């Protein structure tokens, strides 16, 4: 949590086997994580697939560097966005719903205050496959609400190869070159 008690989030661009964005929310002392192949969008028309991945330790939200080729998730990582979020979910009686319970129920709404992403977003769970006896793997949609922070006149996600880190201003290429040169400071 931040010093004012707000929970943190991070969006990392990960140039792994397949380029993707890792969307991570601080929940119950870990970073709950989803791989978002096309990246989060601040355009409400864009519905982004978000595939759950392993939880990560809170310290990982500042990681920027190169994961070695012999390790799981190898590739270059930058922090594309970071900030705090505020849960918005409510129970049927109108009382606030704990965020972990919203996720458990399969629909969580939250307000992001990031360097790049702002406003209301929702994660909604669905199953890939519709057979009753075999519902398939879990997946989610990450969707921007049509609020005052939404954009409508441009694509909602930048080209990840040209995007810059919210922490250091570097691109994926610059981080990879710095690692090759032995300068992992950022």
């Amino acid at each position: 949590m931040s010093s004012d008690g707000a929970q943190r989030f991070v969006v990392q661009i990960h140039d792994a086997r397949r380029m993707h964005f890792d969307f991570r929310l601080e929940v119950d002392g870990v970073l709950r994580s989803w791989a978002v192949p096309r990246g989060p969008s601040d355009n409400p028309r864009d519905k982004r697939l978000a595939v759950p991945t392993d939880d990560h330790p809170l310290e990982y939200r500042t990681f920027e560097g190169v994961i070695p080729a012999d390790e799981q998730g190898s590739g270059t990582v930058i922090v594309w966005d970071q900030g705090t979020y505020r849960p918005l979910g409510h129970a049927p009686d109108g009382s606030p719903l704990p965020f972990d319970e919203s996720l458990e129920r399969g629909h969580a709404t939250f307000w992001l205050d990031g360097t790049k992403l702002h406003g209301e977003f929702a994660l909604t769970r669905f199953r890939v496959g519709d057979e009753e006896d075999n519902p398939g793997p879990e997946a989610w949609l990450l969707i921007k609400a049509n609020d005052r922070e939404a954009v409508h006149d441009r694509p909602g996600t930048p080209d990840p190869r040209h995007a810059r880190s919210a922490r250091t201003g570097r691109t994926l290429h610059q981080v990879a070159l710095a690692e090759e040169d032995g300068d992992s400071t950022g």
Side-chain angles (χ1 to χ4, degrees):
M1 275 191 223
S2 66
S3 59
D4 64 359
Q7 294 164 303
R8 297 177 190 219
F9 82 93
V10 65
V11 180
Q12 293 163 311
I13 298 177
H14 190 171
D15 190 7
R17 187 169 38 100
R18 289 193 181 117
M19 176 85 69
H20 65 279
F21 291 69
D22 287 311
F23 184 77
R24 306 183 196 282
L25 297 168
E26 179 182 347
V27 180
D28 293 336
V30 298
L31 292 172
R32 293 281 303 265
S33 301
W34 293 263
V36 182
R38 294 177 56 209
S41 175
D42 51 7
N43 188 327
R45 291 187 307 259
D46 297 336
K47 292 168 179 49
R48 300 298 199 202
L49 175 67
V51 179
T53 63
D54 293 336
D55 293 345
H56 284 63
L58 293 177
E59 298 78 31
Y60 197 74
R61 71 181 169 75
T62 60
F63 176 75
E64 193 164 273
V66 178
I67 300 170
D70 59 342
E71 291 185 24
Q72 180 180 353
S74 64
T76 306
V77 176
I78 63 170
V79 173
W80 178 71
D81 196 12
Q82 61 186 355
T84 60
Y85 80 95
R86 182 171 32 96
L88 299 175
H90 288 85
D93 67 1
S95 64
L97 191 63
F99 196 68
D100 59 338
E101 192 172 328
S102 292
L103 288 171
E104 186 64 34
R105 291 180 180 199
H107 182 76
T109 56
F110 46 94
W111 187 273
L112 295 180
D113 284 310
T115 305
K116 298 172 183 174
L117 296 173
H118 304 280
E120 184 177 337
F121 287 79
L123 276 165
T124 302
R125 182 177 50 221
F126 68 97
R127 298 271 177 200
V128 179
D130 55 5
E131 300 83 31
E132 191 172 314
D133 59 339
N134 184 15
E138 180 181 292
W140 295 70
L141 289 176
L142 177 62
I143 304 167
K144 173 74 178 99
N146 192 11
D147 60 20
R148 70 181 189 278
E149 303 290 344
V151 302
H152 298 281
D153 57 346
R154 61 180 168 80
T157 307
D159 176 354
R161 299 224 178 261
H162 296 100
R164 294 199 170 270
S165 165
R167 285 190 62 237
T168 63
R170 299 185 301 173
T171 63
L172 286 164
H173 181 71
Q174 290 169 326
V175 169
L177 284 177
E179 291 274 332
E180 286 176 16
D181 294 339
D183 176 22
S184 60
T185 61

